Amino acid sequence: MTGVVIAGVGMHPFGRFEGVTTTDMGVHAVRAALHEAGVARGGFQAAFCGTAYGGVATGHKVLSRLGMTGMPIVDVEAGCASGGAALMLAAGALAAGQYDTVLVFGTEKMPRGIIRSSFFDPWQEEAGLAATPSFFALRAQRLAVTSGVTKDHLAQVVVKNRRHGASNPDAMFQKEITPEEVLASRVICEPLHLFMLCSPNEGAAAVVLRRQADSPGSPPPRSPPHVTLAAAVLRSHLPGSVLSESTPMSGLTDDAVPSPTTLAATAAFEEAGLGPADLDVVECQDTDAARELISYEEIGLCAPGGSAALLASGDTALGGRLPVNPSGGLLSKGEPLGASALGQVVELVRQLRGQCGDRQVDGARVALSHTVGRGANAGVVILTR
Amino acid sequence: MTGVVIAGVGMHPFGRFEGVTTTDMGVHAVRAALHEAGVARGGFQAAFCGTAYGGVATGHKVLSRLGMTGMPIVDVEAGCASGGAALMLAAGALAAGQYDTVLVFGTEKMPRGIIRSSFFDPWQEEAGLAATPSFFALRAQRLAVTSGVTKDHLAQVVVKNRRHGASNPDAMFQKEITPEEVLASRVICEPLHLFMLCSPNEGAAAVVLRRQADSPGSPPPRSPPHVTLAAAVLRSHLPGSVLSESTPMSGLTDDAVPSPTTLAATAAFEEAGLGPADLDVVECQDTDAARELISYEEIGLCAPGGSAALLASGDTALGGRLPVNPSGGLLSKGEPLGASALGQVVELVRQLRGQCGDRQVDGARVALSHTVGRGANAGVVILTR
Amino acid sequence: MRTMVQPGLFTDGEVPTLLGSRCTACGAHHFPRHDTCPYCATEDPVPVELAGSGTLWAWTAVTSPPPGYQGEIPYGFGIVELPEGIRIIARLTESDPAALAAGQPMELRIVALHADAEGNDVVTYAFAPGAP
Amino acid sequence: MRTMVQPGLFTDGEVPTLLGSRCTACGAHHFPRHDTCPYCATEDPVPVELAGSGTLWAWTAVTSPPPGYQGEIPYGFGIVELPEGIRIIARLTESDPAALAAGQPMELRIVALHADAEGNDVVTYAFAPGAP
Ligand SMILES: [Zn+2]
Ligand SMILES: [Zn+2]
């Protein structure tokens, strides 16, 4: 346990917003989170901002607009796990007693079109090896071999998440989709069709963290049920897997190397004193449909090889034993890199408070958020109430 | 006191290095720091990488090359203070007991030519208001009013730092310069001439930090005198000054608002239980010659208005009472954003160990490093032996 | 035709003005307009038109084109203090630093930067030496 | 004339090879060459030429040009397992996923990507279906 509680959350919807700046979205989310936490100017002592494309001083611009600067403001980049990294740093500083209250937020406007990542060397681009969705496709194809995942399973992930997202006002796509529609969308890289991939987009999310010792004995009037940060862990990759998010040009035939997600999840469960069986609701990285299934196995929601069966059982759909991505996931929300991990945390805090309406997971008490991206970085956050 | 010691430092020279990548330079500096600390694979539990232009996963690329991944790796951007921010985060995590040993490094290849900062809005660029050196020039002009700083004083800062840098093998310019040469270089923005501005360039620096409790009772055989991290503080700006590094479009006529540097220095002195009078050697931000003089006043090396007199006294030159920028400063070294703050720390650690040869400050026991840049962020680090 | 470099910064009439705001809580003035006061975080500043004249507080000249700038060089660059108690970063019409002096009166002007793709003059605010 | 997309990755002779390295401490093979073993951090891997044939482990086709790519589409993209115990990310000469099968023999080829500004063929490594 980290001894840290969630004092407030806020969000700017994910989507495409012409004329709205990265700063505008951050201000919107931060203002909402501070308001919910009852925190005004001077009420927090440090701020961590996750962003990948926001540019110089992204966090400062947001806090300058709000008239709240002077404290340390750190901009953190850890790919898809940027928000998770920011949360981990904030939680650590609170646990160290450096601060009593800390603001964590992420804000992002992803460039339109195919995104050119500085990750790859020029020769990799020239040789056609900087083909990001192809790596996802290769992972999906291997999942067919190791776990019996078919195209129908991949379509089913999209159908499930889009059904969840249909009742999320913060999602980009709030409309259900049929398996036939998914499979009729064009093939990007076999076996992945267009609708099996999430859309890079725009959005912001914010969380106010407070040291438990400094929390009032009873929650303030406006405050919903207390949500505790049980763990916030970031891990990078170990070498070995040719399909690791670290995107190496080669790997070993040894398949026993744990993924960054497994490293982070294992450490997070240990920090929280909990295990996969304790979870009531999960938000996990679903950059593409196969990635959600890989996450099931890497987090330990099922045994290795069991992801297709877990999906088929209906357990991970709303109404099932362990709903995954009740927010609709990235497949419904889209993915603004710096904000996506904190968007998951916002959703889970609202789930634990029972504020999610049609997509509420009844009686949820233990929640896990998972992001992983190029680097590699994997972030796992466990929340309880 | 932070309870953290410097276990090892390493550096890749600052300059322009065709064909050498950001990763190459980072590997060079990190390898040297780990070697000095006697730390091998598995010997540190987290890594913080400062970079502004390195792109996605800069830290991961360096550690992947070294075969040292798996732990949290966080890339931090805080402009000129990126390295200071990384140090602050690392020190906080060590103090919290999260880790025993942490690697902090910065690596950077600044783009050539005029650097287009994402900080400014498009209309500011179009209107000619994104003129970075002009802001420096306005600060320099005000310094003439408040502190009697003349062009001769500005030239003298350059002469001093270039004299210091002449014996620094890691500096870009290792050649003395005369006041006449400085004043003969072309005017960029009155009163600043070309040679009064530092050059954006390339380089890397690395520091291994260790919790004191976990340090061996006596230093290991290879280890030089113990250097302790007495404080590592980051602060952002408060609104008010139109000439703040936060680069606002307007400010107040109220001049009493403390600068981010003053906020950070005050907090650092408090954390260290020390004051300006205790300092033996300082490395401070000298993006331009005037910035060094402003730093004197903001850090408290002299009273407000006293910087020209302090410079003229010779106290801040090597051999004086309180040498400032014995490394040659950014005016000799150039400025690779993500590495510059840690480059200062490397210099000061070597000064405290007595390893600096011709530019050694005799008997130095207390050292301060200062960086400040757009955002605004100011980082102040105090080291003792 | 004339087009503003950015709407909402200034008016382009016979007597131009800068569009600022004033905090009803702490009284501070802002430019450009803010929806939250940067000095006290109060969320309801009111829009105001700022004084069209002030005094020169600091100045220099830009001698090579900064990123994204397509207009002529050199041009003046400085800070003008307005009677509302604020200092404004602005272009100056005078590009010779030696021709300017601390505290001298300055007046707001709207000046052309360059022509855009449709041939319109893109205009922005600037300060010019004014009547004493 | 032919020019390599990047020197140091492969040889472009009659029998092409991939240029890798082998760690003398843990025995792992690397591609491209490393000066430090990513698996055990030992600093003295030795250069080796990797086997020119292997078996197909995973594959797909790229149907729209990724960033920075100027060659033809579609093209095959996959992973080939070499007898040294490593798996290599590579272009495949076969761009129809249905024409490939898990475990099938693959052989190294050097293939043209596009012509550069001087009219040279820029070439890179790829794997083609091989003799069984
Ligand atoms: Zn106010
Ligand atoms: Zn090895």
Side-chain angles (χ1 to χ4, degrees):
Chain A
M1 307 298 287
T2 62
V4 172
V5 297
I6 310 292
V9 298
M11 188 146 174
H12 185 284
F14 290 5
R16 283 290 182 187
F17 307 97
E18 201 67 49
V20 179
T21 67
T22 305
T23 305
D24 294 335
M25 293 190 298
V27 165
H28 179 99
V30 166
R31 193 175 262 161
L34 292 174
H35 184 259
E36 208 179 78
V39 166
R41 179 183 162 84
F44 57 98
Q45 300 90 42
F48 295 87
C49 173
T51 193
Y53 294 90
V56 173
T58 302
H60 303 74
K61 289 182 178 178
V62 170
L63 291 172
S64 290
R65 183 87 77 74
L66 288 164
M68 300 183 187
T69 53
M71 78 287 290
I73 305 173
V74 179
D75 292 350
V76 173
E77 197 278 310
C80 306
S82 296
L87 255 193
M88 178 207 68
L89 294 172
L94 287 169
Q98 282 187 288
Y99 314 114
D100 296 326
T101 305
V102 169
L103 172 67
V104 183
F105 62 106
T107 185
E108 196 81 80
K109 280 179 96 79
M110 301 288 284
R112 284 175 186 273
I114 295 177
I115 296 170
R116 184 165 194 160
S117 173
S118 63
F119 185 81
F120 291 107
D121 289 335
W123 77 264
Q124 292 173 304
E125 291 194 337
E126 194 171 352
L129 298 179
T132 302
S134 311
F135 289 96
F136 300 164
L138 296 177
R139 270 180 223 143
Q141 198 199 36
R142 289 303 306 171
L143 206 55
V145 177
T146 58
S147 310
V149 170
T150 64
K151 270 203 182 187
D152 286 337
H153 289 117
L154 297 177
Q156 212 51 57
V157 171
V158 183
V159 169
K160 169 180 80 70
N161 288 1
R162 291 287 293 270
R163 192 189 310 133
H164 295 177
S167 57
N168 183 357
D170 290 330
M172 185 178 196
F173 302 115
Q174 300 176 31
K175 191 168 161 297
E176 298 199 25
I177 197 169
T178 66
E180 293 72 28
E181 287 172 304
V182 176
L183 295 172
S185 68
R186 73 185 168 88
V187 172
I188 299 297
C189 292
E190 277 290 348
L192 297 179
H193 290 243
L194 180 63
F195 291 170
M196 295 175 187
L197 291 156
C198 81
S199 304
N201 65 354
E202 308 172 8
V207 176
V208 178
L209 301 181
R210 195 176 278 153
R211 264 205 297 169
Q212 200 136 30
D214 304 295
S215 304
S218 58
R222 200 167 43 210
S223 176
H226 244 45
V227 173
T228 299
L229 182 70
V233 170
L234 182 74
R235 287 291 183 274
S236 58
H237 63 285
L238 292 173
S241 169
V242 69
L243 285 176
S244 165
E245 285 85 0
S246 65
T247 325
M249 284 291 102
S250 73
L252 301 180
T253 48
D254 173 8
D255 286 322
V257 180
S259 70
T261 294
T262 298
L263 293 174
T266 303
F269 283 129
E270 189 182 324
E271 184 174 349
L274 296 166
D278 298 307
L279 300 174
D280 297 314
V281 55
V282 168
E283 290 269 312
C284 78
Q285 183 84 27
D286 59 333
T287 326
D288 65 277
R291 179 65 246 182
E292 172 161 327
L293 300 174
I294 297 169
S295 299
Y296 291 0
E297 302 188 15
E298 290 183 343
I299 297 169
L301 306 185
C302 61
S307 57
L310 177 59
L311 176 77
S313 73
D315 280 0
T316 60
L318 271 172
R321 180 179 54 82
L322 176 58
V324 174
N325 286 323
S327 71
L330 305 179
L331 289 167
S332 299
K333 289 184 293 189
E335 188 183 28
L337 281 188
S340 63
L342 294 170
Q344 292 183 342
V345 170
V346 172
E347 170 73 12
L348 293 176
V349 167
R350 290 176 176 166
Q351 287 284 351
L352 293 174
R353 291 171 178 170
Q355 298 172 322
C356 287
D358 285 350
R359 66 180 196 284
Q360 179 63 44
V361 177
D362 289 335
R365 302 191 66 88
V366 181
L368 179 145
S369 145
H370 160 254
T371 45
V372 62
R374 189 170 290 144
N377 289 291
V380 170
V381 174
I382 299 178
L383 300 161
T384 58
R385 74 160 170 98
Chain B
M1 308 299 285
T2 63
V4 172
V5 298
I6 310 291
V9 299
M11 189 145 173
H12 184 285
F14 290 4
R16 285 289 183 188
F17 307 97
E18 201 67 48
V20 178
T21 67
T22 305
T23 304
D24 293 335
M25 294 189 298
V27 164
H28 180 98
V30 166
R31 192 175 265 160
L34 292 175
H35 183 260
E36 207 179 78
V39 166
R41 179 182 161 85
F44 57 97
Q45 299 89 42
F48 295 87
C49 172
T51 192
Y53 294 90
V56 173
T58 302
H60 304 74
K61 288 181 178 179
V62 170
L63 291 173
S64 290
R65 184 87 78 73
L66 288 165
M68 301 185 187
T69 54
M71 78 286 292
I73 305 172
V74 179
D75 292 349
V76 174
E77 196 280 309
C80 305
S82 296
L87 255 193
M88 179 206 68
L89 294 171
L94 287 170
Q98 284 186 288
Y99 313 114
D100 296 327
T101 305
V102 169
L103 171 68
V104 183
F105 62 106
T107 184
E108 197 81 78
K109 278 179 99 76
M110 302 287 285
R112 283 174 186 273
I114 294 179
I115 295 171
R116 184 164 195 161
S117 173
S118 63
F119 184 82
F120 291 108
D121 289 336
W123 78 263
Q124 292 173 302
E125 290 195 338
E126 195 171 352
L129 298 179
T132 302
S134 311
F135 289 95
F136 300 164
L138 296 177
R139 270 181 223 141
Q141 198 198 38
R142 288 303 307 171
L143 206 54
V145 177
T146 58
S147 310
V149 169
T150 64
K151 269 202 184 188
D152 286 337
H153 290 119
L154 297 177
Q156 212 50 57
V157 171
V158 184
V159 169
K160 170 180 78 70
N161 288 0
R162 291 286 293 272
R163 190 188 312 131
H164 295 177
S167 58
N168 182 358
D170 290 330
M172 186 178 195
F173 302 113
Q174 299 176 30
K175 191 169 159 298
E176 297 200 26
I177 197 169
T178 67
E180 293 71 29
E181 287 172 305
V182 175
L183 294 171
S185 68
R186 72 184 168 90
V187 172
I188 299 297
C189 292
E190 276 292 346
L192 297 179
H193 290 241
L194 179 63
F195 292 168
M196 296 176 187
L197 292 156
C198 81
S199 303
N201 65 353
E202 310 172 6
V207 177
V208 178
L209 301 181
R210 194 178 279 153
R211 265 205 296 168
Q212 199 137 30
D214 304 296
S215 302
S218 58
R222 201 168 41 212
S223 176
H226 244 48
V227 174
T228 299
L229 182 70
V233 170
L234 182 75
R235 286 292 183 275
S236 57
H237 63 285
L238 292 173
S241 168
V242 69
L243 286 176
S244 165
E245 284 86 1
S246 65
T247 324
M249 284 291 102
S250 74
L252 300 181
T253 48
D254 172 8
D255 286 322
V257 180
S259 71
T261 293
T262 298
L263 293 174
T266 304
F269 284 128
E270 189 182 325
E271 184 173 349
L274 296 167
D278 299 307
L279 299 175
D280 299 312
V281 55
V282 168
E283 290 269 311
C284 78
Q285 185 83 30
D286 59 334
T287 327
D288 65 277
R291 178 65 246 182
E292 172 161 326
L293 299 174
I294 297 169
S295 300
Y296 291 0
E297 302 189 15
E298 290 183 343
I299 296 168
L301 306 186
C302 61
S307 56
L310 178 59
L311 176 77
S313 73
D315 279 1
T316 60
L318 270 172
R321 181 179 54 83
L322 176 58
V324 174
N325 286 323
S327 70
L330 305 179
L331 289 167
S332 299
K333 288 184 293 187
E335 189 184 25
L337 280 187
S340 62
L342 295 169
Q344 291 184 342
V345 170
V346 171
E347 171 73 11
L348 293 176
V349 167
R350 291 175 175 165
Q351 287 284 352
L352 293 175
R353 290 173 178 167
Q355 299 173 321
C356 287
D358 285 349
R359 65 182 198 283
Q360 179 64 43
V361 177
D362 289 335
R365 303 191 64 89
V366 181
L368 180 145
S369 144
H370 160 253
T371 45
V372 62
R374 190 169 288 144
N377 289 293
V380 171
V381 174
I382 300 178
L383 299 162
T384 58
R385 73 157 168 102
Chain C
M1 289 283 291
R2 285 153 74 94
T3 177
M4 294 186 191
V5 68
Q6 173 87 346
L9 292 175
F10 54 87
T11 63
D12 186 16
E14 192 142 334
V15 182
T17 56
L18 290 178
L19 301 174
S21 47
R22 184 176 53 81
C23 176
T24 54
C26 76
H29 284 76
H30 323 128
F31 175 79
R33 281 185 177 159
H34 285 252
D35 60 3
T36 300
C37 177
Y39 305 108
C40 75
T42 300
E43 293 190 13
D44 50 5
V46 293
V48 295
E49 297 195 349
L50 298 169
S53 56
T55 52
L56 190 61
W57 191 68
W59 66 97
T60 185
V62 178
T63 57
S64 54
Y69 177 70
Q70 305 159 53
E72 287 178 10
I73 53 164
Y75 58 94
F77 185 92
I79 299 172
V80 174
E81 206 167 278
L82 300 187
E84 289 90 346
I86 65 170
R87 295 176 182 144
I88 308 262
I89 298 275
R91 288 174 69 94
L92 307 178
T93 58
E94 177 56 64
S95 64
D96 176 8
L100 294 165
Q104 80 172 75
M106 301 295 283
E107 282 179 7
L108 185 68
R109 294 271 188 279
I110 306 303
V111 299
L113 287 164
H114 61 94
D116 68 12
E118 285 88 47
N120 298 314
D121 277 339
V122 179
V123 298
T124 192
Y125 61 98
F127 281 90
Chain D
M1 288 284 290
R2 287 152 72 92
T3 177
M4 294 187 190
V5 68
Q6 173 88 346
L9 293 174
F10 54 88
T11 63
D12 185 19
E14 192 143 335
V15 182
T17 55
L18 291 178
L19 300 175
S21 48
R22 184 175 52 80
C23 176
T24 52
C26 76
H29 283 76
H30 323 128
F31 175 79
R33 281 185 178 157
H34 285 252
D35 59 3
T36 300
C37 176
Y39 305 108
C40 75
T42 300
E43 293 189 12
D44 50 4
V46 293
V48 295
E49 298 195 347
L50 297 170
S53 57
T55 54
L56 190 62
W57 190 68
W59 68 96
T60 185
V62 178
T63 58
S64 55
Y69 178 69
Q70 306 158 51
E72 288 180 11
I73 53 162
Y75 58 94
F77 185 92
I79 299 172
V80 173
E81 206 167 277
L82 300 185
E84 289 89 347
I86 65 169
R87 294 174 181 146
I88 308 261
I89 299 275
R91 289 174 68 94
L92 307 178
T93 58
E94 176 58 64
S95 64
D96 177 8
L100 293 165
Q104 80 174 72
M106 301 296 284
E107 282 180 4
L108 185 68
R109 295 270 186 283
I110 305 304
V111 299
L113 287 165
H114 62 92
D116 69 12
E118 286 88 47
N120 298 315
D121 277 338
V122 179
V123 298
T124 191
Y125 62 97
F127 280 91

